[in-house]
Amino acid sequence: MTTTPFETTFDVRFYETDGLGHVGNTVHVGWLEAARDPVFKLFLPDLDLSRWPLILASYKVDFLQQIYYGKSATVKTWIGRLGGSSFDVYQEIWQDDKHCATGTTTMVHFNYETQKSAPIPDDIRAKMEQHLKD
Amino acid sequence: MTTTPFETTFDVRFYETDGLGHVGNTVHVGWLEAARDPVFKLFLPDLDLSRWPLILASYKVDFLQQIYYGKSATVKTWIGRLGGSSFDVYQEIWQDDKHCATGTTTMVHFNYETQKSAPIPDDIRAKMEQHLKD
Amino acid sequence: MTTTPFETTFDVRFYETDGLGHVGNTVHVGWLEAARDPVFKLFLPDLDLSRWPLILASYKVDFLQQIYYGKSATVKTWIGRLGGSSFDVYQEIWQDDKHCATGTTTMVHFNYETQKSAPIPDDIRAKMEQHLKD
Amino acid sequence: MTTTPFETTFDVRFYETDGLGHVGNTVHVGWLEAARDPVFKLFLPDLDLSRWPLILASYKVDFLQQIYYGKSATVKTWIGRLGGSSFDVYQEIWQDDKHCATGTTTMVHFNYETQKSAPIPDDIRAKMEQHLKD
């Protein structure tokens, strides 16, 4: 079975460049977070911050190519691993048909009232499986 | 004559919210800058940072309504004043049919080699006039 | 009577530069906000976000000199105008003994429960007067 | 032999919080980068962007505790691994005597003219060894 990623495309912003003339390496995590919106919506369709159901445990970003201002960039987002209450989001940043960076983010389904992790409900799990990275 | 603004629409990013639950007030100037790209392109179609022809003299932002995550926002961009070498960009940020903030930015056409301001060329001026705020 | 500003000094951060090699113009408002902490503390000594008593109505920044990475910068913060419930914060950013930018921010003492502005209490007003710009 | 980290302490900035009331998870990489300044200075004492000698290959951040506005945070920075031309920087973020996050960043000594990695010079290597994580 082939699965499809979520895709988010946006223009690089001037202020996202740094003094070396390319997109600064602190910017990528913000893009990756923004491109996880479709995953967040599986858990919380209205994205209401007062009922936020996830916490972030870690992220790792590998930098492959420089990214430049003046063009758009696209983030492709897959579910990279699907555990009982935690999961990894695997993401790639592309510009000009070049794979520029890879991000892997570990998130946990979390109940802020009980301060405990919570199993991923079956209906959400089924939707996540449609975007599971091969 | 009625003139039309440039329009830029984008999703609010999670990290652009602050601890008060809305978009933080330091975020707006980045959005306004990003939405000036069509103005920058009148001067420099390829947006090549090594030949950047403008400097920013000042900006003012008025905050009218809170802006929230989970929805898109739109920036409308007009030329607010057109001088010999300087000009004002007048911009409005909208969300949910509400006018949320207004920005006025003064920019100067600038020659970095001579370190002097430079007259706005006639062909660029003609294009700017098509987006002049009434 | 001479009044003294609040002073905040910090190192410029690499990611605060932009592709033109200097500190990007969207960074200044974050610095100015950070340097208003001593003003915020007059209203709310513990800076508890759940009881935040101020809203921001507008800011204006004038850019006088470029600011560079590799050195510290200092923000000097005065009360620029002291009204009944609103006030202006006047701030200057300095680097290398050069006055690089000026910011004026209008804030309002605000009661989020009643959603109304509230008079500045006398004891806070007295402390603010000690930092009033001549 | 016991080695000592570089230490960088700063106040958390209001705009670094996000809508969940704590420091947003995209902020940490900027702090870690800022706290690598002492490492950058081993290679380039004046931090001149036009002669920048390093590239970033990857970073990983583990989130252990929430970080809040209204208090300072400290980053402790060690050399985590010292290879021929590449090295890892190991960093910990602390607030209120709590270890809140860990970052590991892989950097490469790089010659932008030849576009090739370059061996770490012996004098710099000797200084780095003084901050090697046990």
Side-chain angles (χ1 to χ4, degrees):
Chain A
M1 191 184 81
T2 306
T3 63
T4 53
F6 297 105
E7 288 204 17
T8 306
T9 295
F10 48 86
D11 287 326
V12 174
R13 297 175 179 177
F14 188 103
Y15 72 83
E16 295 176 327
T17 60
D18 71 14
L20 300 181
H22 55 213
V23 169
N25 72 63
T26 64
V27 171
H28 299 59
V29 288
W31 290 358
L32 296 175
E33 183 190 74
R36 287 196 296 274
D37 269 7
V39 178
F40 299 159
K41 284 181 181 171
L42 296 181
F43 288 86
L44 187 67
D46 65 2
L47 298 177
D48 180 350
L49 292 172
S50 70
R51 295 180 293 115
W52 202 255
L54 296 165
I55 55 171
L56 190 148
S58 73
Y59 53 59
K60 181 174 193 298
V61 181
D62 290 287
F63 296 84
L64 309 175
Q65 298 283 341
Q66 299 185 76
I67 302 176
Y68 296 99
Y69 171 65
K71 298 170 181 171
S72 66
T74 295
V75 181
K76 301 181 185 183
T77 299
W78 288 268
I79 304 301
R81 181 187 61 84
L82 189 47
S85 60
S86 77
F87 59 97
D88 289 352
V89 181
Y90 170 82
Q91 298 176 284
E92 296 175 353
I93 305 177
W94 289 73
Q95 188 182 52
D96 273 348
D97 293 322
K98 273 185 256 178
H99 177 183
C100 298
T102 298
T104 302
T105 304
T106 299
M107 306 204 71
V108 182
H109 185 221
F110 194 74
N111 185 325
Y112 279 89
E113 285 185 27
T114 62
Q115 287 284 310
K116 288 185 181 167
S117 61
I120 300 173
D122 286 345
D123 58 331
I124 297 177
R125 178 180 300 275
K127 290 176 189 160
M128 294 175 85
E129 283 171 349
Q130 296 172 25
H131 301 278
L132 204 57
K133 180 76 176 163
D134 296 332
Chain B
M1 193 184 83
T2 306
T3 64
T4 54
F6 297 105
E7 289 205 14
T8 307
T9 294
F10 48 86
D11 285 327
V12 174
R13 298 175 178 176
F14 188 102
Y15 72 83
E16 295 175 326
T17 60
D18 71 15
L20 300 182
H22 55 213
V23 169
N25 72 63
T26 65
V27 170
H28 299 59
V29 289
W31 289 358
L32 296 175
E33 184 188 76
R36 287 196 295 273
D37 270 8
V39 178
F40 299 159
K41 284 181 181 170
L42 296 181
F43 288 87
L44 187 68
D46 65 2
L47 298 177
D48 179 349
L49 292 172
S50 70
R51 296 180 292 113
W52 200 254
L54 295 166
I55 53 170
L56 190 149
S58 73
Y59 53 59
K60 181 175 194 298
V61 181
D62 290 285
F63 296 83
L64 309 175
Q65 298 282 342
Q66 298 185 75
I67 301 175
Y68 295 99
Y69 170 64
K71 298 171 183 172
S72 65
T74 296
V75 182
K76 302 181 185 183
T77 299
W78 288 267
I79 305 300
R81 183 188 60 85
L82 191 45
S85 60
S86 77
F87 58 98
D88 289 351
V89 180
Y90 171 82
Q91 297 176 286
E92 295 176 353
I93 305 177
W94 289 72
Q95 187 181 53
D96 273 348
D97 294 322
K98 274 185 257 180
H99 178 183
C100 299
T102 298
T104 302
T105 305
T106 299
M107 307 206 70
V108 182
H109 185 221
F110 193 75
N111 184 324
Y112 279 89
E113 286 186 24
T114 62
Q115 286 284 309
K116 287 185 181 169
S117 61
I120 300 171
D122 286 346
D123 58 330
I124 297 177
R125 178 180 300 275
K127 288 175 190 160
M128 295 175 86
E129 283 172 348
Q130 295 172 25
H131 301 278
L132 204 57
K133 180 76 176 162
D134 296 333
Chain C
M1 192 184 82
T2 306
T3 64
T4 54
F6 297 105
E7 288 205 16
T8 305
T9 294
F10 48 87
D11 286 326
V12 174
R13 297 175 179 176
F14 187 102
Y15 73 82
E16 295 176 327
T17 60
D18 70 15
L20 300 181
H22 56 212
V23 170
N25 72 64
T26 65
V27 170
H28 298 60
V29 289
W31 289 358
L32 296 175
E33 184 189 76
R36 287 196 295 274
D37 269 6
V39 177
F40 299 159
K41 283 182 181 170
L42 296 182
F43 287 87
L44 187 68
D46 66 2
L47 298 177
D48 180 349
L49 291 172
S50 70
R51 296 180 292 115
W52 201 255
L54 296 165
I55 53 170
L56 190 148
S58 73
Y59 52 59
K60 181 176 194 296
V61 181
D62 290 287
F63 296 84
L64 310 174
Q65 299 281 342
Q66 298 185 77
I67 301 176
Y68 295 100
Y69 170 64
K71 297 171 182 171
S72 66
T74 295
V75 181
K76 301 181 185 183
T77 299
W78 287 268
I79 305 301
R81 182 188 60 84
L82 190 45
S85 61
S86 77
F87 58 97
D88 289 352
V89 180
Y90 171 82
Q91 297 176 285
E92 295 175 354
I93 304 178
W94 288 73
Q95 188 182 51
D96 273 348
D97 294 321
K98 274 185 255 179
H99 178 183
C100 298
T102 298
T104 302
T105 304
T106 299
M107 306 205 72
V108 181
H109 185 221
F110 194 75
N111 185 325
Y112 279 88
E113 285 184 28
T114 62
Q115 286 284 310
K116 288 185 180 168
S117 61
I120 299 172
D122 287 345
D123 58 330
I124 296 176
R125 178 179 300 275
K127 288 176 190 160
M128 294 175 86
E129 284 172 348
Q130 295 172 25
H131 300 278
L132 204 58
K133 180 76 176 162
D134 296 333
Chain D
M1 191 183 83
T2 306
T3 63
T4 53
F6 297 106
E7 287 205 16
T8 307
T9 295
F10 49 86
D11 286 325
V12 174
R13 297 175 179 176
F14 188 103
Y15 72 83
E16 295 176 327
T17 60
D18 70 15
L20 300 182
H22 55 213
V23 170
N25 72 62
T26 65
V27 170
H28 299 59
V29 289
W31 290 358
L32 296 174
E33 183 189 76
R36 287 195 296 273
D37 269 8
V39 178
F40 299 159
K41 284 182 181 171
L42 296 181
F43 288 87
L44 187 66
D46 65 2
L47 297 178
D48 180 350
L49 292 173
S50 70
R51 295 180 292 114
W52 201 254
L54 296 165
I55 54 170
L56 189 149
S58 73
Y59 53 59
K60 180 174 194 299
V61 181
D62 290 287
F63 296 83
L64 309 175
Q65 298 282 342
Q66 298 184 77
I67 302 176
Y68 295 99
Y69 170 65
K71 298 171 182 171
S72 66
T74 295
V75 181
K76 302 182 185 182
T77 299
W78 288 268
I79 305 301
R81 182 188 60 85
L82 190 46
S85 60
S86 78
F87 59 98
D88 289 351
V89 181
Y90 171 81
Q91 298 176 285
E92 295 176 353
I93 305 177
W94 289 73
Q95 187 182 52
D96 272 348
D97 294 322
K98 273 185 257 178
H99 178 183
C100 299
T102 298
T104 301
T105 305
T106 299
M107 307 205 70
V108 182
H109 185 220
F110 195 74
N111 184 325
Y112 279 89
E113 286 185 26
T114 62
Q115 287 285 310
K116 287 185 182 167
S117 62
I120 299 172
D122 286 345
D123 58 330
I124 296 177
R125 178 180 299 276
K127 288 176 189 159
M128 293 175 87
E129 283 171 348
Q130 295 172 25
H131 301 278
L132 205 57
K133 180 74 177 164
D134 296 331

